[in-house]
Amino acid sequence: MTTEPTRPPMTRFDFDLYSDTKTRPSPGMLRAVLEAEVGDEQHGEDPTVDRLTARVAAMLGKEAAVFVPSGTMANEISMLVQCRPGDEILAHRDSHLLNFEAGGAAALAGAMVRPLDGPRGMFDADTVRAALRRVARVLPHSRVVVFEQTTNLGGGAVWPMDQMTEIATLARDAGLAVHIDGARLMNACVASGVGPAVYGALADTVYMDFTKGLGAPFGAVLAGDRDTINAAWRWKQRLGGSMRQAGLMAAACLYALDHNIDRLAIDHANAQTLASGLAALPGVAVRTPETNMVFADLTDSGMTAVEFDRALWSVGARVSIQGPTTIRAVTHLDIDRSGIDLVVEAAGRILAGRGPRA
Ligand SMILES: Cc1ncc(COP(=O)(O)O)c(C=O)c1O
């Protein structure tokens, strides 16, 4: 039996750059929760859930949508709907679906994941073409291509529209479905100026997560055509994801749609400020952020990622560890510009006088 690593001694960091999942619901969001009109969601009787699913379906240009507790469940249900056991999913080697869902695609849908390579969490059409299986008795069926928009381990990169379109067309022509893991889809929309329905048009299934930059404590909405969403509902029931008075949750998500989309531009600007602040420090190499994620390599600073993170704890800040000397810092609505300045200043003190290890 393996054990989980030890948790930090504090549970609350004032400047928690570990992930955009660390936000707490705002007072306005909590008021919306308290005022929500609710019913039995499993029976289609919750008006707030219905409002949310109708609104997200329209935003994504789809016929129908289903509310699920998490992005992980949206990915799993999508794979369950698209795949039969033995089928093959084409996804990036660094994707959430392949790495962080406890093997759900294999365990639940019985599908294999074919890892595709490419810079910043993205692959190109030639890579997909080369990975497509021909039809033969001994081969698995290539069934679905997965885009992660934005890419997580790829550093919050935004898939360019022409690259996505080329791959989606190739996939369709070869009889594959397309799924968009939209954990941070709205970050992509704000950064690129491309509307969610434009991305949605490329996909058979696409979901939007509310627990990342949108700042809600739970919830994702998976959209597709009506038959697909009817099938998704059955899987949601089988997985125990059907809920009762889920309007409480949906109200937080509706609040997020009303208040927390445009402001993602602030997170993106804060990520730029953080990136340039860190890049100015000795021995720190920073990848230019496209959205709200900053990846920095500390190899030449003389510190490991763990040492750097632990040192930040003393000022109530933390980052996530991505490798021995690589950290990821994610900006979000609970960290404003002064928080970013404080972290940069603390990082400067921590790294001062350090240098490459002998
Ligand atoms: C790209 C991506 N997909 C899916 C998920 C899963 O979302 P959730 O935490 O809502 O299950 C995450 C979470 O970090 C993610 O980054």
Side-chain angles (χ1 to χ4, degrees):
M1 210 37 193
T2 52
T3 49
E4 293 279 317
T6 21
R7 298 274 154 235
M10 356 202 275
T11 53
R12 176 152 198 158
F13 289 82
D14 289 333
F15 312 100
D16 200 339
L17 294 160
Y18 182 95
S19 174
D20 46 8
T21 58
K22 298 295 179 188
T23 56
R24 315 256 162 168
S26 64
M29 183 177 277
L30 290 172
R31 264 195 306 280
V33 170
L34 285 176
E35 288 162 10
E37 199 189 337
V38 297
D40 188 341
E41 186 253 6
Q42 193 183 102
H43 292 258
E45 294 168 7
D46 191 300
T48 311
V49 171
D50 288 349
R51 266 201 298 136
L52 176 68
T53 51
R55 183 157 162 192
V56 175
M59 282 174 78
L60 295 171
K62 296 292 178 205
E63 268 176 10
V66 56
F67 188 40
V68 290
S70 68
T72 299
M73 194 183 281
N75 276 339
E76 296 312 329
I77 288 179
S78 177
M79 294 307 108
L80 282 158
V81 169
Q82 314 279 12
C83 301
R84 293 173 57 193
D87 284 351
E88 198 164 62
I89 298 162
L90 275 55
H92 196 278
R93 183 178 301 283
D94 293 337
S95 62
H96 194 277
L97 185 136
L98 174 52
N99 292 285
F100 304 118
E101 298 183 4
L108 301 172
M112 313 195 300
V113 184
R114 181 99 180 251
L116 303 186
D117 292 307
R120 309 197 76 173
M122 298 178 281
F123 40 82
D124 60 21
D126 285 341
T127 305
V128 174
R129 206 172 279 114
L132 286 175
R133 305 279 189 178
R134 64 192 164 77
V135 177
R137 199 170 283 166
V138 294
L139 298 175
H141 288 302
S142 306
R143 189 64 71 188
V144 55
V145 175
V146 178
F147 294 109
E148 195 173 280
Q149 181 70 310
T150 66
T151 65
N152 180 345
L153 294 192
V158 181
W159 280 82
M161 196 57 204
D162 52 355
Q163 193 172 337
M164 286 182 96
T165 306
E166 191 184 356
I167 293 170
T169 306
L170 172 67
R172 287 257 159 72
D173 290 349
L176 277 73
V178 174
H179 172 64
I180 298 179
D181 173 344
R184 297 181 179 80
L185 187 67
M186 297 319 298
N187 291 83
C189 293
V190 167
S192 65
V194 174
V198 178
Y199 290 126
L202 300 175
D204 298 277
T205 48
V206 48
Y207 85 89
M208 180 190 296
D209 205 329
F210 290 89
T211 63
K212 310 291 181 303
L214 297 184
F218 27 53
V221 173
L222 174 68
D225 67 28
R226 201 161 301 282
D227 288 347
T228 301
I229 296 307
N230 285 341
W233 248 108
R234 294 186 68 76
W235 280 113
K236 164 168 144 150
Q237 175 64 18
R238 289 186 188 122
L239 296 173
S242 294
M243 295 171 277
R244 299 297 181 184
Q245 284 68 34
L248 296 179
M249 300 161 70
C253 301
L254 283 164
Y255 181 92
L257 291 179
D258 287 336
H259 297 90
N260 294 344
I261 292 180
D262 291 346
R263 64 149 310 286
L264 291 170
I266 299 172
D267 298 344
H268 299 173
N270 283 340
Q272 291 289 345
T273 304
L274 180 61
S276 43
L278 293 177
L281 301 177
V284 184
V286 180
R287 244 200 244 169
T288 307
E290 288 181 43
T291 53
N292 67 334
M293 293 192 183
V294 179
F295 277 64
D297 178 15
L298 308 176
T299 309
D300 294 334
S301 75
M303 281 192 113
T304 66
V306 170
E307 287 166 346
F308 179 73
D309 175 54
R310 297 301 181 269
L312 281 177
W313 290 5
S314 64
V315 296
R318 80 167 154 179
V319 292
S320 86
I321 316 295
Q322 297 292 324
T325 55
T326 307
I327 57 124
R328 184 193 72 175
V330 188
T331 57
H332 53 73
L333 88 180
D334 282 0
I335 300 192
D336 62 12
R337 172 60 196 263
S338 66
I340 298 294
D341 292 343
L342 181 141
V343 171
V344 171
E345 199 248 327
R349 267 185 285 114
I350 290 164
L351 292 170
R354 314 265 324 195
R357 283 169 199 276

